[in-house]
Amino acid sequence: ALPFLTTASEVTVLTVNPDDATGPMESSMKAWLAAHGVKGTTRVAHTKEIEVGDVLLSSAADLSADLIVMGAYGRSRLRELILGGATHNIMKHMTVPVLMSH
């Protein structure tokens, strides 16, 4: 994704429902982006009522994003069926191009 990020006019790193270790992770992410010439901002979203995938899509719309870059992490089919998942949700309802890495 780095070639896309270096040419982007704006990069936002969104973390949904982070745990307490997110502060250092955000700093590390900003430093990594800056080391590669990418000026990025971070946002944090907290939700219990809305699926993570829906938060990602809503945030992309709010930011007028033209690309979502995200990791794709799978669960077992049974667990995915019961709990759902952001990867599945994004692939099913994507509104902008998505670059995934697993």
Side-chain angles (χ1 to χ4, degrees), residues 4-95:
F4 293 109
L5 299 177
T6 57
T7 60
S9 60
E10 188 176 338
V11 173
T12 302
V13 178
L14 176 66
T15 306
V16 182
N17 296 333
D19 58 22
D20 293 335
T22 302
M25 181 183 70
E26 286 180 36
S27 297
S28 295
M29 180 62 72
K30 278 186 172 180
W32 187 88
L33 290 170
H36 290 87
V38 178
K39 183 179 180 197
T41 59
T42 59
R43 291 178 75 178
V44 176
H46 297 277
T47 182
K48 291 185 181 180
E49 296 84 29
I50 303 171
E51 295 291 327
V52 172
D54 292 332
V55 173
L56 295 172
L57 292 172
S58 175
S59 296
D62 292 346
L63 294 166
S64 298
D66 54 10
L67 177 67
I68 295 174
V69 176
M70 65 181 282
Y73 302 97
R75 301 177 183 160
S76 71
R77 289 181 190 250
L78 178 60
R79 192 168 178 179
E80 187 80 22
L81 180 66
I82 295 169
L83 298 175
T87 303
H88 177 77
N89 193 340
I90 292 291
M91 293 304 291
K92 189 172 181 182
H93 303 288
M94 63 185 169
T95 54

